[in-house]
Amino acid sequence: GFTNDSGQPKRQEISFDDIGGQGSAIKELKEALDFIKNESEIKRLGIRPLKGILMTGPPGTGKTLMARAAANYTDAVFVSASGSDFVEMYAGVGAQRVRKIFQTARDTAKKQKKRNAIIFIDEIEVLAAKRGQNSSHMEYDQTLNALLVEMDGLKVDDSVRILIMAATNRVDIMDPALLRPGRFDRQVKVDLPDKAGRLEILKIHTRNKPLAADVDLNQLARESFGFSGAHLESLANEAAILAMREGLKEIHYRHFHEAVDKVIMGEKLERQPNQ
Ligand code: ATP
């Protein structure tokens, strides 16, 4: 099922400062969120509410972090699910789950006396592939329709204002109906970080780690071409583990260096079955 933050041990809150190398994506996202915050102006000018933001880009680049930071920024409750949670063998179950997640968002917000809720749907392409493309599965159509109906029903003066943030790395196969104005009409690209971005991310993930004087994060950023944020997080973690194995109090450059190879190897091993 999907998760929300109520009744769970308080998860660490994510802010935009915890996300590296995504300056322009964050700027765009914040603009959209600031727009939402400006409720009285939106009403005065008769602007329709912003309902959906679609984040596109490769895995591990921080799309989930962006959604969590957005919830924090707008003081919203955060409810999340993956597209595959809605795919069921039995007709109507997926659609039911779509309605349920909107209800969960509203109930959780009311309980916590919050005005805003963000529903995050990862891998949205699983439920939102072009209709007809999954023609053997009428079920997908019903599920997608349920999502469209829910989104179309959102109003400026709903007592709980819902924003849907979705993530995909396959925007090309998404049903255009979802991208129409009034649905996911904002798209934010969350790409692999460049060298400066990798440095920012490395700094974030070594904030709480004792580094030896020989650790040159700049050099590491240069050497980790093609790494995602998730790779870099794992790199920092692996390096710390290597230092611990040697019984050292600090992490040295060679640990990071070795960890680069480990992360690349891990990636290759993970991919092998598909090749
Ligand atoms: P997926 O599409 O595979 O779910 P994602 O884009 O949602 O990936 P996240 O789940 O946000 O990626 O990232 C996974 C982990 O990688 C994060 O919890 C964080 O530790 C690290 N990470 C990813 N991107 C960044 C970033 N831009 N800055 C800092 N850390 C990052």
Coordinates of all heavy atoms in Angstrom, one line a residue, residues 150-211:
E150 N -10.1 12.5 -10.7 CA -9.7 13.1 -9.4 C -9.0 14.5 -9.6 O -9.3 15.5 -9.0 CB -8.7 12.2 -8.6 CG -9.4 11.0 -8.0 CD -10.3 11.4 -6.8 OE1 -10.2 12.5 -6.2 OE2 -11.2 10.5 -6.5
M151 N -8.1 14.5 -10.6 CA -7.4 15.8 -10.9 C -8.3 16.8 -11.4 O -8.2 18.0 -11.0 CB -6.2 15.5 -11.9 CG -5.1 14.7 -11.3 SD -3.7 14.6 -12.4 CE -2.8 16.1 -12.1
D152 N -9.2 16.5 -12.3 CA -10.2 17.5 -12.8 C -11.1 18.0 -11.7 O -11.6 19.1 -11.8 CB -11.0 16.8 -13.9 CG -10.1 16.6 -15.2 OD1 -9.0 17.0 -15.2 OD2 -10.6 15.8 -16.1
G153 N -11.3 17.2 -10.6 CA -12.2 17.6 -9.6 C -11.5 18.6 -8.6 O -12.2 19.1 -7.7
L154 N -10.2 18.8 -8.6 CA -9.6 19.7 -7.6 C -10.0 21.1 -7.9 O -9.9 21.6 -9.0 CB -8.1 19.5 -7.7 CG -7.5 18.1 -7.4 CD1 -6.0 18.0 -7.6 CD2 -7.9 17.6 -6.0
K155 N -10.4 21.8 -6.8 CA -10.8 23.2 -6.9 C -10.0 24.1 -6.0 O -9.4 23.7 -5.0 CB -12.3 23.3 -6.5 CG -13.3 22.5 -7.3 CD -13.5 23.2 -8.6 CE -14.4 22.4 -9.5 NZ -14.0 21.0 -9.8
V156 N -9.9 25.4 -6.4 CA -9.1 26.4 -5.6 C -9.6 26.4 -4.2 O -8.7 26.5 -3.3 CB -9.3 27.8 -6.2 CG1 -8.5 28.8 -5.3 CG2 -8.8 27.9 -7.6
D157 N -10.9 26.3 -3.9 CA -11.2 26.5 -2.5 C -11.6 25.2 -1.8 O -12.4 25.2 -0.8 CB -12.3 27.5 -2.3 CG -13.3 27.6 -3.5 OD1 -13.6 26.5 -4.0 OD2 -13.7 28.7 -3.8
D158 N -11.1 24.1 -2.3 CA -11.2 22.8 -1.5 C -10.6 23.0 -0.1 O -9.6 23.8 0.0 CB -10.4 21.7 -2.2 CG -11.1 21.2 -3.5 OD1 -12.3 21.5 -3.7 OD2 -10.4 20.6 -4.3
S159 N -11.1 22.4 0.9 CA -10.6 22.6 2.2 C -9.2 22.1 2.4 O -8.4 22.6 3.1 CB -11.5 22.1 3.3 OG -11.6 20.7 3.1
V160 N -8.9 21.0 1.7 CA -7.5 20.5 1.6 C -7.1 20.7 0.2 O -7.7 20.1 -0.8 CB -7.4 19.0 2.0 CG1 -5.9 18.6 1.8 CG2 -7.8 18.8 3.5
R161 N -6.0 21.4 0.0 CA -5.5 21.7 -1.4 C -4.5 20.6 -1.8 O -3.5 20.4 -1.1 CB -4.9 23.0 -1.6 CG -6.0 24.1 -1.4 CD -5.4 25.5 -1.7 NE -4.3 25.7 -0.8 CZ -3.5 26.8 -0.9 NH1 -3.6 27.6 -1.9 NH2 -2.5 27.0 -0.1
I162 N -4.8 19.9 -2.8 CA -3.9 18.8 -3.2 C -3.1 19.1 -4.4 O -3.6 19.6 -5.4 CB -4.8 17.5 -3.5 CG1 -5.4 17.0 -2.2 CG2 -3.9 16.4 -4.0 CD1 -6.2 15.8 -2.3
L163 N -1.8 18.8 -4.3 CA -0.9 18.9 -5.5 C -0.3 17.5 -5.8 O 0.1 16.8 -4.9 CB 0.3 19.9 -5.2 CG 1.4 20.0 -6.2 CD1 0.9 20.7 -7.5 CD2 2.6 20.7 -5.7
I164 N -0.4 17.1 -7.0 CA 0.2 15.8 -7.4 C 1.5 16.1 -8.0 O 1.7 16.8 -8.9 CB -0.7 15.1 -8.4 CG1 -2.1 14.8 -7.7 CG2 -0.1 13.7 -8.7 CD1 -3.2 15.6 -8.3
M165 N 2.5 15.4 -7.4 CA 3.9 15.4 -8.0 C 4.2 14.0 -8.5 O 4.0 13.1 -7.7 CB 4.9 15.9 -7.0 CG 4.7 17.4 -6.6 SD 6.0 18.0 -5.5 CE 7.4 18.1 -6.6
A166 N 4.5 13.9 -9.7 CA 4.8 12.6 -10.3 C 6.2 12.5 -10.9 O 6.7 13.6 -11.3 CB 3.7 12.2 -11.3
A167 N 6.7 11.4 -10.9 CA 8.1 11.2 -11.4 C 8.1 10.1 -12.5 O 7.4 9.1 -12.4 CB 9.1 10.8 -10.3
T168 N 8.9 10.4 -13.5 CA 9.0 9.3 -14.6 C 10.3 9.5 -15.3 O 10.9 10.6 -15.4 CB 7.9 9.4 -15.6 OG1 8.0 8.3 -16.5 CG2 7.9 10.7 -16.4
N169 N 10.8 8.4 -15.8 CA 12.0 8.6 -16.8 C 11.5 8.2 -18.2 O 12.3 8.0 -19.1 CB 13.2 7.8 -16.3 CG 12.9 6.4 -15.9 OD1 11.9 5.9 -16.2 ND2 13.8 5.8 -15.1
R170 N 10.2 8.1 -18.4 CA 9.6 7.7 -19.7 C 8.5 8.6 -20.1 O 7.4 8.2 -20.4 CB 9.1 6.2 -19.7 CG 10.2 5.2 -19.5 CD 11.2 5.2 -20.7 NE 10.6 5.3 -22.0 CZ 10.3 4.2 -22.7 NH1 10.4 3.0 -22.2 NH2 9.8 4.3 -23.9
V171 N 8.8 9.9 -20.1 CA 7.7 10.9 -20.4 C 7.2 10.6 -21.8 O 6.0 10.8 -22.2 CB 8.2 12.3 -20.2 CG1 9.2 12.7 -21.2 CG2 7.0 13.3 -20.3
D172 N 8.1 10.0 -22.7 CA 7.7 9.7 -24.1 C 6.5 8.7 -24.2 O 5.8 8.8 -25.2 CB 8.9 9.2 -24.8 CG 9.5 7.9 -24.2 OD1 9.8 8.0 -22.9 OD2 9.7 6.9 -24.8
I173 N 6.3 7.8 -23.2 CA 5.2 6.9 -23.4 C 4.0 7.3 -22.6 O 3.0 6.6 -22.5 CB 5.6 5.4 -23.0 CG1 6.0 5.4 -21.5 CG2 6.7 4.9 -23.9 CD1 6.1 3.9 -21.0
M174 N 4.0 8.5 -22.0 CA 2.9 8.9 -21.2 C 1.7 9.3 -22.0 O 1.9 10.0 -23.1 CB 3.3 10.0 -20.2 CG 3.9 9.3 -19.0 SD 4.3 10.5 -17.7 CE 2.7 11.2 -17.4
D175 N 0.5 9.0 -21.6 CA -0.7 9.4 -22.3 C -0.8 10.9 -22.3 O -0.7 11.6 -21.3 CB -1.9 8.9 -21.5 CG -3.2 8.9 -22.3 OD1 -3.5 10.0 -22.9 OD2 -3.9 7.9 -22.5
P176 N -0.9 11.5 -23.5 CA -1.0 13.0 -23.6 C -2.1 13.6 -22.8 O -2.0 14.8 -22.5 CB -1.1 13.2 -25.1 CG -1.2 11.9 -25.8 CD -1.0 10.8 -24.8
A177 N -3.1 12.8 -22.5 CA -4.3 13.4 -21.8 C -3.8 13.9 -20.4 O -4.3 14.9 -19.9 CB -5.3 12.3 -21.5
L178 N -2.7 13.3 -19.9 CA -2.2 13.7 -18.6 C -1.4 15.0 -18.6 O -1.2 15.7 -17.6 CB -1.3 12.6 -18.0 CG -2.0 11.7 -17.0 CD1 -1.0 10.6 -16.6 CD2 -2.4 12.4 -15.7
L179 N -0.9 15.3 -19.8 CA 0.0 16.4 -20.0 C -0.8 17.7 -20.4 O -0.2 18.8 -20.5 CB 1.1 16.1 -21.0 CG 1.9 14.9 -20.7 CD1 2.9 14.6 -21.8 CD2 2.6 15.0 -19.3
R180 N -2.1 17.5 -20.6 CA -2.9 18.7 -21.0 C -3.0 19.7 -19.9 O -2.9 19.4 -18.7 CB -4.3 18.1 -21.3 CG -4.8 18.5 -22.7 CD -6.0 17.8 -23.0 NE -5.8 16.6 -23.8 CZ -6.7 15.5 -23.8 NH1 -7.7 15.5 -23.0 NH2 -6.4 14.5 -24.5
P181 N -3.3 21.0 -20.3 CA -3.4 22.0 -19.3 C -4.5 21.7 -18.2 O -5.5 21.0 -18.5 CB -4.0 23.2 -20.1 CG -3.5 23.0 -21.5 CD -3.4 21.5 -21.7
G182 N -4.2 22.0 -17.0 CA -5.1 21.6 -15.9 C -4.7 20.3 -15.3 O -5.3 19.9 -14.3
R183 N -3.8 19.6 -15.9 CA -3.4 18.3 -15.3 C -1.9 18.5 -14.9 O -1.6 19.3 -14.1 CB -3.7 17.2 -16.2 CG -5.2 17.0 -16.2 CD -5.6 16.2 -17.3 NE -7.1 16.0 -17.4 CZ -7.8 15.5 -18.4 NH1 -7.1 15.1 -19.4 NH2 -9.1 15.4 -18.4
F184 N -1.0 17.7 -15.5 CA 0.4 17.9 -15.3 C 0.9 19.0 -16.2 O 1.6 18.7 -17.2 CB 1.2 16.6 -15.4 CG 1.0 15.6 -14.3 CD1 0.1 14.6 -14.5 CD2 1.6 15.8 -13.1 CE1 -0.1 13.7 -13.5 CE2 1.3 14.9 -12.1 CZ 0.5 13.8 -12.3
D185 N 0.6 20.2 -15.9 CA 0.9 21.2 -16.9 C 2.3 21.9 -16.6 O 2.7 22.8 -17.3 CB -0.2 22.2 -17.2 CG -0.8 22.8 -16.0 OD1 -0.2 22.6 -14.9 OD2 -1.8 23.6 -16.1
R186 N 2.9 21.5 -15.6 CA 4.3 21.9 -15.3 C 5.2 20.7 -15.4 O 4.9 19.7 -14.8 CB 4.5 22.6 -13.9 CG 3.8 23.9 -13.8 CD 4.6 25.0 -14.3 NE 4.2 26.3 -13.7 CZ 3.0 26.8 -13.8 NH1 2.1 26.2 -14.6 NH2 2.6 27.9 -13.2
Q187 N 6.3 20.8 -16.1 CA 7.3 19.7 -16.1 C 8.6 20.3 -15.6 O 9.1 21.4 -16.0 CB 7.5 19.2 -17.6 CG 6.4 18.3 -18.0 CD 6.7 17.5 -19.3 OE1 7.8 17.2 -19.6 NE2 5.6 17.3 -20.0
V188 N 9.2 19.5 -14.8 CA 10.6 19.9 -14.2 C 11.5 18.8 -14.6 O 11.3 17.6 -14.2 CB 10.5 20.1 -12.7 CG1 11.9 20.4 -12.1 CG2 9.5 21.2 -12.4
K189 N 12.6 19.2 -15.3 CA 13.7 18.2 -15.6 C 14.6 18.0 -14.5 O 15.2 19.0 -14.0 CB 14.4 18.7 -16.8 CG 13.9 18.2 -18.1 CD 15.0 18.3 -19.2 CE 14.6 17.6 -20.5 NZ 14.9 18.4 -21.6
V190 N 14.8 16.8 -14.1 CA 15.8 16.5 -13.0 C 16.9 15.6 -13.6 O 16.7 14.3 -13.7 CB 15.1 15.8 -11.8 CG1 16.1 15.6 -10.7 CG2 13.9 16.6 -11.4
D191 N 17.9 16.2 -14.1 CA 18.9 15.4 -14.9 C 20.1 14.9 -14.1 O 20.2 15.3 -12.9 CB 19.4 16.3 -16.0 CG 18.6 16.2 -17.3 OD1 18.1 15.1 -17.5 OD2 18.5 17.2 -18.0
L192 N 20.9 14.1 -14.7 CA 22.2 13.7 -14.0 C 23.0 15.0 -13.7 O 23.0 15.9 -14.5 CB 23.0 12.8 -14.9 CG 22.5 11.4 -15.0 CD1 23.4 10.6 -16.0 CD2 22.6 10.7 -13.6
P193 N 23.7 15.0 -12.5 CA 24.4 16.2 -12.2 C 25.7 16.4 -13.0 O 26.3 15.4 -13.4 CB 24.8 16.0 -10.7 CG 24.8 14.5 -10.6 CD 23.7 14.0 -11.5
D194 N 26.1 17.6 -13.3 CA 27.4 17.9 -13.9 C 28.4 17.9 -12.8 O 28.1 17.6 -11.7 CB 27.4 19.2 -14.7 CG 27.0 20.4 -13.8 OD1 27.0 20.2 -12.6 OD2 26.8 21.5 -14.4
K195 N 29.7 18.3 -13.2 CA 30.8 18.2 -12.2 C 30.5 19.0 -11.0 O 30.7 18.6 -9.8 CB 32.1 18.6 -12.9 CG 33.3 18.2 -12.0 CD 34.6 18.6 -12.7 CE 35.0 19.8 -12.1 NZ 35.5 20.9 -11.9
A196 N 30.0 20.2 -11.2 CA 29.8 21.1 -10.1 C 28.6 20.6 -9.2 O 28.7 20.6 -8.0 CB 29.4 22.5 -10.6
G197 N 27.7 20.0 -9.9 CA 26.6 19.3 -9.2 C 27.0 18.1 -8.3 O 26.6 17.9 -7.2
R198 N 27.9 17.4 -8.9 CA 28.4 16.2 -8.2 C 29.2 16.6 -6.9 O 29.1 16.0 -5.9 CB 29.3 15.3 -9.1 CG 28.5 14.7 -10.2 CD 29.3 13.6 -10.9 NE 30.5 14.0 -11.6 CZ 30.6 14.5 -12.8 NH1 29.5 14.6 -13.5 NH2 31.7 14.9 -13.4
L199 N 29.9 17.7 -7.1 CA 30.6 18.3 -5.9 C 29.7 18.7 -4.8 O 29.9 18.3 -3.7 CB 31.5 19.5 -6.4 CG 32.3 20.1 -5.2 CD1 33.3 19.2 -4.6 CD2 33.1 21.4 -5.8
E200 N 28.6 19.4 -5.2 CA 27.6 19.8 -4.2 C 27.0 18.5 -3.5 O 26.9 18.5 -2.3 CB 26.4 20.5 -4.9 CG 26.5 22.0 -5.0 CD 25.3 22.6 -5.7 OE1 24.2 22.2 -5.4 OE2 25.6 23.3 -6.7
I201 N 26.7 17.5 -4.3 CA 26.1 16.3 -3.7 C 27.1 15.6 -2.8 O 26.8 15.1 -1.7 CB 25.6 15.4 -4.8 CG1 24.5 16.1 -5.6 CG2 25.1 14.1 -4.2 CD1 24.1 15.3 -6.9
L202 N 28.4 15.5 -3.2 CA 29.4 14.9 -2.4 C 29.6 15.7 -1.1 O 29.7 15.1 0.0 CB 30.8 14.9 -3.1 CG 30.9 13.8 -4.2 CD1 32.1 14.0 -5.1 CD2 30.9 12.4 -3.5
K203 N 29.5 17.0 -1.1 CA 29.6 17.8 0.1 C 28.4 17.5 1.0 O 28.6 17.3 2.2 CB 29.6 19.3 -0.2 CG 30.9 19.8 -0.7 CD 30.9 21.3 -1.0 CE 32.2 21.8 -1.4 NZ 32.1 23.1 -2.1
I204 N 27.2 17.3 0.5 CA 26.0 17.0 1.3 C 26.2 15.7 2.0 O 26.0 15.5 3.2 CB 24.7 17.0 0.4 CG1 24.4 18.5 0.0 CG2 23.6 16.4 1.1 CD1 23.3 18.6 -1.0
H205 N 26.7 14.7 1.2 CA 26.8 13.3 1.8 C 28.0 13.1 2.6 O 28.2 11.9 3.1 CB 26.5 12.3 0.7 CG 25.1 12.3 0.2 ND1 24.1 11.8 1.1 CD2 24.5 12.7 -0.9 CE1 22.9 12.0 0.4 NE2 23.2 12.5 -0.8
T206 N 28.9 14.0 2.7 CA 30.1 13.9 3.6 C 30.0 14.8 4.8 O 30.9 14.9 5.6 CB 31.4 14.1 2.8 OG1 31.4 15.3 2.1 CG2 31.7 13.0 1.8
R207 N 28.9 15.6 4.8 CA 28.7 16.6 5.9 C 28.9 16.0 7.3 O 29.5 16.6 8.1 CB 27.2 17.1 5.9 CG 27.0 18.3 5.0 CD 25.7 19.0 5.2 NE 24.5 18.2 5.1 CZ 23.4 18.6 4.4 NH1 23.4 19.8 3.9 NH2 22.4 17.8 4.4
N208 N 28.4 14.8 7.5 CA 28.5 14.1 8.8 C 29.6 13.1 8.9 O 29.5 12.2 9.7 CB 27.1 13.5 9.1 CG 26.7 12.4 8.1 OD1 27.4 12.3 7.1 ND2 25.7 11.7 8.4
K209 N 30.6 13.2 8.0 CA 31.6 12.2 8.0 C 33.0 12.8 8.2 O 33.3 13.9 7.6 CB 31.6 11.5 6.6 CG 30.4 10.6 6.4 CD 30.5 9.9 5.1 CE 29.4 8.8 5.0 NZ 28.0 9.5 5.0
P210 N 33.8 12.2 9.1 CA 35.2 12.7 9.3 C 36.1 12.4 8.1 O 36.4 11.3 7.8 CB 35.6 12.0 10.5 CG 34.9 10.7 10.5 CD 33.6 10.9 9.8
L211 N 36.5 13.5 7.4 CA 37.4 13.3 6.2 C 38.8 13.6 6.6 O 39.1 14.6 7.3 CB 36.9 14.2 5.1 CG 35.5 14.0 4.6 CD1 35.2 15.0 3.5 CD2 35.2 12.6 4.2

